[in-house]
Amino acid sequence: MASESLRDLREFAADLAWQAGKLTLRYFQTDIATEIKADASPVTVADRQSERLMRELIAARYPDHSILGEEEGETRPGATYRWVLDPIDGTKTFVRGVPLYAVLVGLERDGEAVVGAINIPGTGELLHAARGEGCSWNGRVARVSQVPRLRDALLLCSDAESMPQYGRAAAYRRMVAATKLQRTWGDAYGYVLVATGRAEVMLDADVRLWDATALLPVVTEAGGTLTDWRGTQTAAGGEAIGTNGLVLDELLALVGARGE
C-alpha cells in the first residue's frame, strides 16, 4: 500500500471514531437503559447506534472492505481489508457516567493491524496511528514515557479482581510489588495513558479482537509495545500487555514461563 493511501485510511479511521464518539455523547450521563447480552456483557442503544453509524460510513467509502463489530458481527468476510469496531469500549463505565470509555476503530490488512483510532469522547482525546506513520494525540505527537525500570513505573489494569479467574493472580502480585504505583484506569483508556507517556504498563487478562486491534498501531507507533502475556506482538491473543517498551523484558520475567 502506498504511504499516502495509508494516511488516507488513518484519517478516515480518526473521523469514524470522532463521529461515533459524538453520537455517544448524546446518551452520556443520561438515564440510558441497559440490556445484558448472552455473554453477560452490557449493551445500550448508544453502542448499537455508534456501530451502525460507522458501518454505514465504511460501506459508503469502502464497499469492498470487511467489517467486524462487537454488536453486529462480521460482514463481507475474506476481504484484504477488515475494519474492526468497538462502538463503546467500557460500556459499564459509560452507563455509570464516567468519561473514560472509548470508541475504537482498527483496520487490518491481510490479518495484521495497520491502522488504529481511539476516541475518548468524555475527555476530548483522539489518538490515531498507522504503521510507519507515527501516532497523533489531538494534533501533537504521542510518545511513550522514558521510564526505564519497573520500580519507577505506573501499572494499570482493567480489573485486578479478575486476575485469579484467568490464572494471573500470582504474576499480578509480583508486578504490583515491583512497580511504584498502581491504578485501575482500565479498558482502552489505560492504553491511551501508556501511548501518551502517562503510564508505563497496562494489563488485561481477557480482551477480544475488537478491544485490541485499534490499540496495537496506536501503542506501537507511539514507541511502545502491545503483546500477549508471553511477549508476542498481537491483537488476537485474548489478553494484552501494553508497555513503554523499556520495561517489557523486566515485566515478562515476572510473568514467568508458566504465566502464573
Side-chain angles (χ1 to χ4, degrees), residues 176-226:
V176 168
T179 49
K180 182 176 183 178
L181 185 63
Q182 306 81 38
R183 292 291 185 267
T184 51
W185 298 322
D187 302 315
Y189 192 66
Y191 299 93
V192 166
L193 293 178
V194 171
T196 54
R198 293 175 284 174
E200 285 66 54
V201 180
M202 172 62 191
L203 306 171
D204 273 302
D206 179 35
V207 296
R208 309 300 170 86
L209 196 60
W210 45 77
D211 299 316
T213 301
L215 304 179
L216 197 155
V218 167
V219 175
T220 58
E221 287 297 318
T225 61
L226 189 89

Side-chain angles (χ1 to χ4, degrees), residues 121-135:
T123 67
E125 295 177 78
L126 177 63
L127 287 83
H128 53 95
R131 180 179 293 180
E133 298 287 341
C135 181

Side-chain angles (χ1 to χ4, degrees), residues 1 5-6 8-10 12-13 16 54-69 73-85 105-110 114-115:
M1 179 188 295
S5 296
L6 194 56
D8 289 345
L9 288 162
R10 170 183 174 173
F12 181 70
L16 282 180
M54 290 191 285
R55 284 178 175 274
E56 290 173 354
L57 292 170
I58 294 167
R61 178 81 172 264
Y62 300 109
D64 296 330
H65 288 194
S66 295
I67 304 172
L68 172 65
E74 187 168 10
T75 58
R76 294 183 293 280
T80 298
Y81 297 101
R82 180 169 72 165
W83 295 89
V84 184
L85 311 175
V105 178
L107 177 63
E108 296 176 336
R109 181 181 62 194
D110 294 324
V114 293
V115 169

Side-chain angles (χ1 to χ4, degrees), residues 13-22 24-25 28 87 89 98-105 116-129 135-143 156 185-199 214-215 218 222:
D15 186 61
L16 282 180
W18 182 81
Q19 291 202 48
K22 185 170 65 171
T24 67
L25 287 173
F28 184 53
D89 180 71
V98 177
L100 304 185
Y101 72 95
V103 176
L104 302 179
V105 178
I118 305 173
N119 183 15
I120 313 293
T123 67
E125 295 177 78
L126 177 63
L127 287 83
H128 53 95
C135 181
S136 174
W137 174 30
N138 286 6
R140 50 183 160 161
V141 174
R143 295 297 299 172
L156 309 176
W185 298 322
D187 302 315
Y189 192 66
Y191 299 93
V192 166
L193 293 178
V194 171
T196 54
R198 293 175 284 174
L215 304 179
V218 167

Side-chain angles (χ1 to χ4, degrees), residues 22-54:
K22 185 170 65 171
L23 184 153
T24 67
L25 287 173
R26 300 176 197 166
Y27 298 95
F28 184 53
Q29 296 182 341
T30 66
D31 188 21
I32 190 170
T34 304
E35 301 172 36
I36 303 300
K37 297 187 289 188
D39 64 358
S41 65
V43 65
T44 70
V45 64
D47 296 79
R48 293 192 174 108
Q49 289 190 5
S50 173
E51 183 168 322
R52 174 47 46 191
L53 173 63
M54 290 191 285

